[in-house]
Amino acid sequence: MLPNSLKKSILFLFVSLAGLMFVRAQESTPTFLVIQSLEDAWDYAHKHNPNLQQYQLQQRKAEADYKAAQAYKLPQISGSFSLQNNTSLATTPLPGEIFGQPGETVDAQFGQQYTYNAGITISKNLLDQKSRLQAKMTQQNSLYLSQQTVVFEQALKEQVALYYYTALVAEKALRISQQDLRLADSIATISKQKREEGLIDQLALNQSLINRNNISQNIIQYESLLDQCQQELRKLWGTSFSTDLKFTEEVKNTLPVLGLSMDMQTDASVKLSEIELEQADIQVNMEKAAYLPTLTINSYWGKQQFRDDFGLSFSNSAWNDYSYISFGLQVPIFNGFATKNKVKAAKIERDIAYQEWVDTRRTSEIEDTFLLEEYQRSWSLLTTSYENYQLFETNSVLTFQKYEEGLLSLDASLKAFEDYLQSENSYLNNLSTLYSHYASIISRNP
């Protein structure tokens, strides 16, 4: 039997190793995530968003396809080795004079039963416009997928910013509502006392209870909004739904980022539409290339060995040189007007792509101008609504103090408190609107 001290040492070692394995397993799927700024939120999404990773893989594949398409510029080289068993040699009638049989025709067979061929073939397209255009189209496809990734990254940044700031606004609203609830509880408590003393009627007491219940409902709604934003962020970040999130930043009532440039970069979708137009133009040229001739060169350097038996000799004297160079010119003449109709269809596709590019650019300019105007208006609304919120908050506190001292009626205190709650809702709505516009703008800045 093992000594007790040794048993304890082994148990301690086992527990330590198990704990280490558990910690390492947890490192791959974090259960607690702290986000200190929007840049942290963007960076985490850029590294872990599953959809973005798929776009990046597609882009890498397109780059590899483009490199493969460049092979048309280089000659194609291949080696070959073959064995031919001439089971029946071809028969050729020859004059009998050759064989000492004048006036007769002799059926002769030439060759040997087994023929070995070994050599190298080199081929190159000297004139092949279609292959060049196909390679160019592959390059455009690579650029298209790359721009698609940029479009998705822009949308991802906007979504992350929108849910991130909405979550911060919801947290701020929760803090304010919890303060309001404490004040509403105080008003309700004092109102109950005064109702029991007969100083106020039941209507006034009911109004104070209604205000408290409304605030409680607001808290539940803000909690739901915060949870929804966190769930959406977990999706964008590729984390588990059980991951706890903590935001250390707080929204401010000043300009979100000092020195924010109002000159947004062009919407990435406009560049994507431009690439689609270029692809359509290349497609037209590819269809036109079917009218052009193609010129190819093929060369073969090899050896041949002829034998009557199946054996193979590797001596130089057993092999005969066999080489050739050939040129091939193919000129299209008629294919039932297929090329003409394909060119016509490609031109129509190009016209469609052009109209879409013009419309995308025009729409983007209108939406960008409207977005900047809405941001400025929402900023003005936030400024005035925040000032009103502070004034109504001060009035609510002062009237409640006077109500406690018996200098004001409960109706006046409740009216001031209701005005404060309305100004608070207006302020929080304007704050949320401002940050939603800001999320769209900042996603278009580098």
Side-chain angles (χ1 to χ4, degrees), residues 5-22:
S5 58
L6 183 57
K7 288 182 179 180
K8 292 180 180 180
S9 299
I10 294 176
L11 180 61
F12 175 80
L13 179 61
F14 175 80
V15 172
S16 300
L17 290 175
L20 181 60
M21 293 175 63
F22 175 78

Side-chain angles (χ1 to χ4, degrees), residues 35 39 55 87 153 237 254 280 321 323 326 351 378 381 387:
I35 301 298
E39 286 71 21
Y55 274 98
T87 55
E153 287 178 337
W237 288 335
T254 57
D321 291 333
S323 303
S326 66
D351 293 340
S378 62
L381 285 173
E387 291 177 357

Side-chain angles (χ1 to χ4, degrees), residues 367-379:
E367 291 178 349
D368 289 352
T369 302
F370 181 73
L371 174 61
L372 294 176
E373 291 175 352
E374 282 294 288
Y375 179 80
Q376 295 295 344
R377 282 191 283 265
S378 62
W379 175 246

Side-chain angles (χ1 to χ4, degrees), residues 190-399:
I190 296 175
S191 299
K192 287 181 180 179
Q193 295 175 354
K194 292 185 177 294
R195 178 70 184 94
E196 293 173 355
E197 296 172 359
L199 300 178
I200 62 173
D201 57 13
Q202 187 64 36
L203 181 64
L205 174 60
N206 290 345
Q207 188 60 48
S208 66
L209 296 176
I210 290 173
N211 288 340
R212 185 185 63 183
N213 292 337
N214 288 338
I215 295 174
S216 298
Q217 292 176 2
N218 290 339
I219 290 177
I220 295 174
Q221 291 175 351
Y222 290 138
E223 289 175 343
S224 177
L225 177 61
L226 177 60
D227 185 64
Q228 180 183 356
C229 292
Q230 290 181 342
Q231 294 289 23
E232 294 299 328
L233 286 173
R234 290 186 183 99
K235 294 178 185 177
L236 298 175
W237 288 335
T239 61
S240 170
F241 288 133
S242 61
T243 303
D244 292 330
L245 303 181
K246 179 176 177 55
F247 306 108
T248 61
E249 187 179 8
E250 293 185 10
V251 290
K252 302 179 178 60
N253 301 307
T254 57
L255 192 64
V257 174
L258 297 178
L260 172 65
S261 174
M262 291 290 101
D263 297 328
M264 296 185 299
Q265 290 184 342
T266 303
D267 191 352
S269 60
V270 176
K271 180 62 177 177
L272 186 66
S273 181
E274 181 180 341
I275 295 176
E276 290 176 341
L277 176 59
E278 294 172 354
Q279 287 178 317
D281 190 60
I282 295 174
Q283 187 64 40
V284 172
N285 293 329
M286 285 180 60
E287 299 299 342
K288 288 182 178 180
Y291 288 117
L292 302 176
T294 57
L295 177 63
T296 59
I297 180 175
N298 293 280
S299 59
Y300 177 81
W301 286 274
K303 298 281 187 177
Q304 284 186 327
Q305 182 177 153
F306 304 97
R307 299 181 64 91
D308 293 323
D309 57 359
F310 186 71
L312 178 64
S313 174
F314 293 97
S315 64
N316 291 332
S317 59
W319 292 90
N320 302 304
D321 291 333
Y322 176 61
S323 303
Y324 65 85
I325 297 177
S326 66
F327 290 88
L329 178 64
Q330 185 176 2
V331 181
I333 297 177
F334 181 72
N335 62 352
F337 302 107
T339 301
K340 178 181 178 181
N341 291 322
K342 288 181 179 179
V343 171
K344 183 178 180 180
K347 287 182 177 179
I348 295 174
E349 288 292 334
R350 182 179 60 184
D351 293 340
I352 295 173
Y354 175 77
Q355 293 297 330
E356 290 179 348
W357 172 68
V358 171
D359 184 64
T360 301
R361 186 177 60 177
R362 178 182 60 84
T363 303
S364 176
E365 291 175 353
I366 293 174
E367 291 178 349
D368 289 352
T369 302
F370 181 73
L371 174 61
L372 294 176
E373 291 175 352
E374 282 294 288
Y375 179 80
Q376 295 295 344
R377 282 191 283 265
S378 62
W379 175 246
S380 299
L381 285 173
L382 176 65
T383 302
T384 55
S385 63
Y386 180 63
E387 291 177 357
N388 286 341
Y389 164 71
Q390 290 179 310
L391 293 173
F392 278 113
E393 183 182 25
T394 302
N395 289 345
S396 177
V397 173
L398 293 175
T399 54

Side-chain angles (χ1 to χ4, degrees), residues 151-214:
V151 171
F152 181 79
E153 287 178 337
Q154 176 183 299
L156 179 62
K157 288 179 65 177
E158 183 175 1
Q159 287 182 328
V160 169
L162 176 61
Y163 288 121
Y164 174 75
Y165 282 126
T166 304
L168 296 187
V169 172
E171 286 186 339
K172 185 181 185 69
L174 273 174
R175 290 192 295 270
I176 294 175
S177 297
Q178 288 166 354
Q179 295 175 359
D180 296 341
L181 184 60
R182 288 192 289 269
L183 180 58
D185 283 336
S186 299
I187 294 177
T189 301
I190 296 175
S191 299
K192 287 181 180 179
Q193 295 175 354
K194 292 185 177 294
R195 178 70 184 94
E196 293 173 355
E197 296 172 359
L199 300 178
I200 62 173
D201 57 13
Q202 187 64 36
L203 181 64
L205 174 60
N206 290 345
Q207 188 60 48
S208 66
L209 296 176
I210 290 173
N211 288 340
R212 185 185 63 183
N213 292 337
N214 288 338

Side-chain angles (χ1 to χ4, degrees), residues 90-138:
T91 301
T92 303
L94 296 176
E97 285 80 358
I98 299 176
F99 302 96
Q101 301 177 17
E104 297 181 8
T105 300
V106 177
D107 293 333
Q109 290 182 324
F110 295 92
Q112 293 175 280
Q113 182 176 357
Y114 296 97
T115 303
Y116 293 91
N117 290 279
I120 295 176
T121 302
I122 301 177
S123 61
K124 178 71 171 66
N125 292 326
L126 301 179
L127 181 61
D128 191 355
Q129 183 72 358
K130 191 169 185 178
S131 294
R132 186 185 71 84
L133 291 172
Q134 285 176 341
K136 188 175 182 181
M137 177 63 80
T138 307

